[in-house]
Amino acid sequence: MTLFDSPAFEGHEGVHAFTDEKTGLKSIIAVHSTARGPAAGGCRMWPYPSAEAALEDALRLSRAMSYKNAMADLELGGGKAVIIGDSRTQKTPALFEAFGRAVDQLGGRYWTAEDVGVSPADLTHARKHTRFVAGLEGHAAASGDPSPVTAEGVFRGIELCVRRALGRGLDGVTVAVQGVGHVGGYLADKLHAAGAKLVITDVNEEVLRQVAERTGAKVVSPGLIFDAEAEVFAPCALGGAVNAETLPRLRAKIVAGAANNQLAQPEIGRELFRRGMLYAPDYVINGGGIINVAAEIRALDRDEAFDAAWVETKLARLMETLEEVLDRARQEQRPTHEVADEVARARISGAAEKKAAA
């Protein structure tokens, strides 16, 4: 299969490969759309088994960012960067400086930020060679760690889904959280404070222990989280958690979490619908983080300070958008992910038409 035949390609404006022999950098930056504004999306560092796997991940994540930014009503398009490598052993300041030079070659068509395996500290090195980095600290426009805002949006989305599907609040509801790192940990704290019961898992045993101690959560091994007796399954780790093997094991009535690309294939979303399970489309419910980053990009472009009130307004509107998607899916008796995809594509194509006519 060629690049252009990949189902994940779907009209990408550009796919860029960058290498730097001296630092070992091997990076792919995928720009799906700039119709609504410059592409924005984080940089992920992961030991992909092949360049093909890295490319597929970059394409899927980039397209998801276009949809996410459109659903959050941001003046941003979608893009994503991946660095092939083990973040535990292969990170160096020089590698991220090389990555910064790569980002700068795109001339502002893509803004980067942190993602899995990459920290703000890493990106300070990239910032030496490009201004198109968000999510850093130490300046008036700084947005800080976007994880708490992502978690807040997911929390509100879970609360909304529980109210609609179960007709109750979160008190006493059991939520199975897969992955309690940055976002998942904040989410677990919020759910615990709201009275929810938690079943949690993570590959990082120390993080798992800390979250369990402060929330009273039941801990299970990663492979058993799908079998948990829970009303809500919240995938907050890597993508593809809900697939042909795991879906039949889920006891939950609701799937709502922070992970990107939670459904391994679109058919899984249709099967969720057939089983009567409510799915909160991932790129809608988890849009809080990019809203936070967008506030920083907006402030930098305007030479202004970070505006927390703007973030709250956008986050509240995002929850209204989620409710609109769920309403339409119920009215039309269709899977929620198909409705969300249609809305996102319409917003992107509408912006593209307006841009072409200008």
Side-chain angles (χ1 to χ4, degrees), residues 58-141:
L59 290 173
R60 292 190 70 198
L61 291 166
S62 173
R63 180 183 60 190
M65 288 307 305
S66 279
Y67 289 10
K68 181 183 295 190
N69 292 337
M71 295 303 270
D73 193 27
L74 302 175
E75 294 181 353
L76 294 172
K80 204 76 174 185
V82 300
I83 296 174
I84 301 173
D86 190 330
S87 62
R88 296 168 299 179
T89 60
Q90 293 179 279
K91 280 185 181 181
T92 64
L95 182 141
F96 280 94
E97 287 193 31
F99 174 67
R101 291 191 291 271
V103 170
D104 205 59
Q105 286 186 47
L106 299 183
R109 293 185 66 241
Y110 167 69
W111 280 78
T112 196
E114 66 174 301
D115 197 357
V116 176
V118 176
S119 70
D122 299 323
L123 291 177
T124 59
H125 301 293
R127 184 67 176 79
K128 295 175 183 177
H129 298 278
T130 184
R131 66 177 289 263
F132 304 109
V133 178
L136 303 185
E137 299 178 353
H139 57 88

Side-chain angles (χ1 to χ4, degrees), residues 263 265-275 335 337-338:
L263 308 182
Q265 298 92 23
E267 292 75 17
I268 299 298
R270 290 190 280 274
E271 184 60 27
L272 284 169
F273 173 72
R274 282 192 290 269
R275 291 170 180 251
H337 76 286
E338 292 183 0

Side-chain angles (χ1 to χ4, degrees), residues 88-228:
R88 296 168 299 179
T89 60
Q90 293 179 279
K91 280 185 181 181
T92 64
L95 182 141
F96 280 94
E97 287 193 31
F99 174 67
R101 291 191 291 271
V103 170
D104 205 59
Q105 286 186 47
L106 299 183
R109 293 185 66 241
Y110 167 69
W111 280 78
T112 196
E114 66 174 301
D115 197 357
V116 176
V118 176
S119 70
D122 299 323
L123 291 177
T124 59
H125 301 293
R127 184 67 176 79
K128 295 175 183 177
H129 298 278
T130 184
R131 66 177 289 263
F132 304 109
V133 178
L136 303 185
E137 299 178 353
H139 57 88
S143 58
D145 182 3
S147 301
V149 187
T150 303
E152 176 63 22
V154 175
F155 170 76
R156 294 185 194 184
I158 291 175
E159 194 173 37
L160 170 62
C161 290
V162 167
R163 190 166 64 248
R164 292 176 68 103
L166 305 179
R168 57 183 293 189
L170 282 169
D171 189 27
V173 170
T174 300
V175 183
V177 183
Q178 181 199 35
V180 289
H182 289 299
V183 176
Y186 286 118
L187 176 62
D189 291 339
K190 291 176 181 293
L191 291 167
H192 171 65
K197 301 175 183 178
L198 301 176
V199 181
I200 63 174
T201 195
D202 199 284
V203 294
N204 187 322
E205 293 185 1
E206 178 57 25
V207 168
L208 195 59
R209 182 190 63 77
Q210 292 175 3
V211 174
E213 284 184 355
R214 65 178 187 256
T215 64
K218 176 184 177 181
V219 173
V220 298
S221 64
L224 295 180
I225 193 68
F226 306 101
D227 305 301

